[in-house]
Short mmCIF file of all heavy atoms in Angstrom, two decimals:
data_model
loop_
_atom_site.label_atom_id
_atom_site.label_comp_id
_atom_site.label_asym_id
_atom_site.label_seq_id
_atom_site.Cartn_x
_atom_site.Cartn_y
_atom_site.Cartn_z
N SER R 1143 -4.11 -9.02 -16.71
CA SER R 1143 -3.01 -9.84 -17.15
C SER R 1143 -2.05 -9.05 -18.04
O SER R 1143 -0.82 -9.18 -17.98
CB SER R 1143 -3.51 -11.09 -17.82
OG SER R 1143 -4.12 -10.77 -19.04
N LYS R 1144 -2.61 -8.20 -18.92
CA LYS R 1144 -1.81 -7.32 -19.78
C LYS R 1144 -1.04 -6.27 -18.97
O LYS R 1144 0.14 -6.04 -19.30
CB LYS R 1144 -2.65 -6.66 -20.86
CG LYS R 1144 -3.27 -7.61 -21.85
CD LYS R 1144 -3.23 -6.97 -23.19
CE LYS R 1144 -3.96 -7.80 -24.15
NZ LYS R 1144 -3.05 -8.79 -24.82
N ALA R 1145 -1.66 -5.73 -17.94
CA ALA R 1145 -0.99 -4.74 -17.12
C ALA R 1145 0.18 -5.35 -16.29
O ALA R 1145 1.16 -4.70 -16.01
CB ALA R 1145 -1.99 -4.05 -16.21
N LEU R 1146 0.03 -6.58 -15.91
CA LEU R 1146 0.96 -7.25 -15.07
C LEU R 1146 2.03 -8.09 -15.79
O LEU R 1146 2.95 -8.58 -15.17
CB LEU R 1146 0.23 -8.14 -14.03
CG LEU R 1146 -0.66 -7.39 -13.03
CD1 LEU R 1146 -1.43 -8.36 -12.21
CD2 LEU R 1146 0.14 -6.42 -12.19
N GLU R 1147 1.93 -8.24 -17.09
CA GLU R 1147 2.83 -9.06 -17.83
C GLU R 1147 4.27 -8.52 -17.85
O GLU R 1147 5.21 -9.30 -17.93
CB GLU R 1147 2.35 -9.37 -19.20
CG GLU R 1147 2.39 -8.18 -20.16
CD GLU R 1147 1.74 -8.51 -21.50
OE1 GLU R 1147 1.30 -9.63 -21.75
OE2 GLU R 1147 1.75 -7.68 -22.36
N SER R 1148 4.46 -7.24 -17.70
CA SER R 1148 5.79 -6.63 -17.73
C SER R 1148 6.21 -6.17 -16.31
O SER R 1148 7.22 -5.51 -16.18
CB SER R 1148 5.81 -5.44 -18.68
OG SER R 1148 4.97 -4.43 -18.21
N VAL R 1149 5.51 -6.56 -15.28
CA VAL R 1149 5.77 -6.16 -13.89
C VAL R 1149 6.18 -7.41 -13.08
O VAL R 1149 5.61 -8.43 -13.22
CB VAL R 1149 4.55 -5.51 -13.25
CG1 VAL R 1149 4.76 -5.18 -11.82
CG2 VAL R 1149 4.12 -4.31 -14.03
N ASP R 1150 7.25 -7.23 -12.33
CA ASP R 1150 7.70 -8.26 -11.41
C ASP R 1150 6.90 -8.07 -10.15
O ASP R 1150 7.27 -7.28 -9.28
CB ASP R 1150 9.15 -8.20 -11.16
CG ASP R 1150 9.71 -9.27 -10.26
OD1 ASP R 1150 8.89 -10.22 -9.94
OD2 ASP R 1150 10.86 -9.26 -9.85
N LEU R 1151 5.78 -8.80 -10.02
CA LEU R 1151 4.88 -8.59 -8.86
C LEU R 1151 5.52 -8.87 -7.52
O LEU R 1151 5.37 -8.16 -6.57
CB LEU R 1151 3.64 -9.49 -9.03
CG LEU R 1151 2.41 -8.88 -9.55
CD1 LEU R 1151 1.31 -9.95 -9.66
CD2 LEU R 1151 1.93 -7.74 -8.74
N LYS R 1152 6.42 -9.88 -7.46
CA LYS R 1152 7.09 -10.25 -6.22
C LYS R 1152 7.95 -9.12 -5.74
O LYS R 1152 7.93 -8.73 -4.60
CB LYS R 1152 7.87 -11.55 -6.40
CG LYS R 1152 8.26 -12.17 -5.12
CD LYS R 1152 8.65 -13.53 -5.23
CE LYS R 1152 7.39 -14.36 -5.26
NZ LYS R 1152 7.44 -15.68 -4.83
N ALA R 1153 8.69 -8.43 -6.65
CA ALA R 1153 9.58 -7.39 -6.31
C ALA R 1153 8.70 -6.14 -5.94
O ALA R 1153 9.03 -5.40 -5.03
CB ALA R 1153 10.48 -6.98 -7.49
N LEU R 1154 7.56 -5.94 -6.62
CA LEU R 1154 6.68 -4.81 -6.33
C LEU R 1154 6.14 -4.96 -4.90
O LEU R 1154 6.09 -3.99 -4.16
CB LEU R 1154 5.55 -4.79 -7.34
CG LEU R 1154 4.58 -3.61 -7.23
CD1 LEU R 1154 5.23 -2.30 -7.47
CD2 LEU R 1154 3.45 -3.82 -8.20
N ILE R 1155 5.76 -6.13 -4.54
CA ILE R 1155 5.12 -6.36 -3.25
C ILE R 1155 6.15 -6.21 -2.14
O ILE R 1155 5.87 -5.62 -1.10
CB ILE R 1155 4.47 -7.76 -3.15
CG1 ILE R 1155 3.23 -7.77 -4.15
CG2 ILE R 1155 4.03 -8.10 -1.74
CD1 ILE R 1155 2.70 -9.15 -4.32
N THR R 1156 7.32 -6.70 -2.34
CA THR R 1156 8.40 -6.71 -1.24
C THR R 1156 8.99 -5.35 -1.13
O THR R 1156 9.59 -5.04 -0.05
CB THR R 1156 9.45 -7.75 -1.48
OG1 THR R 1156 10.07 -7.50 -2.78
CG2 THR R 1156 8.87 -9.11 -1.40
N ASN R 1157 8.88 -4.45 -2.09
CA ASN R 1157 9.50 -3.12 -2.01
C ASN R 1157 8.49 -1.99 -2.02
O ASN R 1157 8.70 -0.93 -2.60
CB ASN R 1157 10.49 -2.94 -3.25
CG ASN R 1157 11.63 -3.89 -3.16
OD1 ASN R 1157 12.17 -4.22 -2.14
ND2 ASN R 1157 12.04 -4.36 -4.34
N VAL R 1158 7.36 -2.17 -1.36
CA VAL R 1158 6.29 -1.23 -1.46
C VAL R 1158 6.73 0.14 -0.91
O VAL R 1158 6.46 1.10 -1.52
CB VAL R 1158 5.07 -1.76 -0.62
CG1 VAL R 1158 4.01 -0.70 -0.45
CG2 VAL R 1158 4.44 -2.95 -1.34
N GLY R 1159 7.34 0.23 0.21
CA GLY R 1159 7.68 1.50 0.86
C GLY R 1159 9.13 1.84 0.79
O GLY R 1159 9.57 2.88 1.29
N SER R 1160 9.95 1.07 0.08
CA SER R 1160 11.41 1.33 0.18
C SER R 1160 11.82 2.62 -0.58
O SER R 1160 12.74 3.24 -0.19
CB SER R 1160 12.13 0.16 -0.45
OG SER R 1160 11.93 -0.02 -1.80
N GLY R 1161 11.14 2.98 -1.60
CA GLY R 1161 11.54 4.19 -2.32
C GLY R 1161 11.30 5.47 -1.55
O GLY R 1161 12.10 6.38 -1.54
N VAL R 1162 10.24 5.54 -0.77
CA VAL R 1162 9.92 6.76 -0.01
C VAL R 1162 10.83 6.84 1.15
O VAL R 1162 11.36 7.91 1.46
CB VAL R 1162 8.42 6.70 0.45
CG1 VAL R 1162 8.12 7.84 1.41
CG2 VAL R 1162 7.52 6.70 -0.72
N GLY R 1163 11.04 5.76 1.89
CA GLY R 1163 11.89 5.79 3.08
C GLY R 1163 13.34 6.07 2.76
O GLY R 1163 14.06 6.74 3.52
N ALA R 1164 13.86 5.61 1.62
CA ALA R 1164 15.28 5.78 1.29
C ALA R 1164 15.51 7.25 0.89
O ALA R 1164 16.57 7.78 1.04
CB ALA R 1164 15.65 4.80 0.22
N ALA R 1165 14.53 7.91 0.25
CA ALA R 1165 14.80 9.25 -0.31
C ALA R 1165 14.69 10.32 0.80
O ALA R 1165 15.38 11.34 0.73
CB ALA R 1165 13.75 9.57 -1.34
N ALA R 1166 13.94 10.11 1.83
CA ALA R 1166 13.74 11.08 2.90
C ALA R 1166 15.05 11.47 3.65
O ALA R 1166 15.33 12.61 3.80
CB ALA R 1166 12.65 10.64 3.84
N PRO R 1167 15.84 10.52 4.12
CA PRO R 1167 17.06 10.89 4.80
C PRO R 1167 18.07 11.58 3.92
O PRO R 1167 18.70 12.52 4.36
CB PRO R 1167 17.65 9.55 5.29
CG PRO R 1167 16.52 8.64 5.35
CD PRO R 1167 15.59 9.04 4.25
N ALA R 1168 18.14 11.21 2.63
CA ALA R 1168 19.12 11.88 1.76
C ALA R 1168 18.70 13.35 1.49
O ALA R 1168 19.55 14.21 1.44
CB ALA R 1168 19.15 11.10 0.43
N ALA R 1169 17.46 13.62 1.45
CA ALA R 1169 16.96 14.96 1.16
C ALA R 1169 17.16 15.84 2.46
O ALA R 1169 17.46 17.06 2.33
CB ALA R 1169 15.51 14.98 0.81
N GLY R 1170 17.11 15.29 3.60
CA GLY R 1170 17.23 16.04 4.83
C GLY R 1170 18.63 16.18 5.31
O GLY R 1170 18.96 16.83 6.30
N ALA R 1171 19.66 15.56 4.67
CA ALA R 1171 21.05 15.61 5.11
C ALA R 1171 21.66 16.95 4.89
O ALA R 1171 21.40 17.61 3.86
CB ALA R 1171 21.83 14.58 4.38
N PRO R 1172 22.46 17.50 5.79
CA PRO R 1172 23.07 18.77 5.62
C PRO R 1172 24.15 18.71 4.51
O PRO R 1172 24.67 17.69 4.19
CB PRO R 1172 23.68 19.12 6.95
CG PRO R 1172 23.79 17.83 7.68
CD PRO R 1172 22.69 16.92 7.11
N ALA R 1173 24.54 19.89 3.97
CA ALA R 1173 25.40 19.95 2.84
C ALA R 1173 26.85 19.58 3.22
O ALA R 1173 27.59 19.01 2.41
CB ALA R 1173 25.44 21.34 2.23
N GLY R 1174 27.22 19.75 4.52
CA GLY R 1174 28.57 19.46 4.94
C GLY R 1174 28.76 17.98 5.20
O GLY R 1174 29.91 17.55 5.38
N GLY R 1175 27.82 17.13 5.18
CA GLY R 1175 27.96 15.71 5.35
C GLY R 1175 26.72 15.27 6.10
O GLY R 1175 25.92 16.02 6.57
N ALA R 1176 26.61 13.91 6.24
CA ALA R 1176 25.47 13.36 6.89
C ALA R 1176 25.60 13.50 8.42
O ALA R 1176 26.62 13.26 8.97
CB ALA R 1176 25.34 11.91 6.51
N ALA R 1177 24.52 13.89 9.11
CA ALA R 1177 24.49 14.01 10.50
C ALA R 1177 24.31 12.62 11.13
O ALA R 1177 23.62 11.79 10.49
CB ALA R 1177 23.37 14.96 10.96
N PRO R 1178 24.91 12.31 12.21
CA PRO R 1178 24.66 11.01 12.87
C PRO R 1178 23.15 10.83 13.18
O PRO R 1178 22.51 11.79 13.59
CB PRO R 1178 25.50 11.09 14.19
CG PRO R 1178 26.49 12.14 13.95
CD PRO R 1178 25.87 13.12 12.98
N ALA R 1179 22.73 9.63 13.02
CA ALA R 1179 21.30 9.32 13.23
C ALA R 1179 20.85 9.62 14.63
O ALA R 1179 19.75 10.11 14.85
CB ALA R 1179 21.02 7.89 12.86
N ALA R 1180 21.69 9.42 15.67
CA ALA R 1180 21.28 9.62 17.02
C ALA R 1180 21.05 11.12 17.27
O ALA R 1180 20.10 11.50 17.97
CB ALA R 1180 22.39 9.10 17.96
#
Side-chain angles (χ1 to χ4, degrees):
S1143 67
K1144 292 219 186 270
L1146 296 175
E1147 69 187 0
S1148 64
V1149 175
D1150 183 9
L1151 262 179
K1152 194 161 278 208
L1154 182 67
I1155 292 169
T1156 57
N1157 295 322
V1158 170
S1160 66
V1162 175

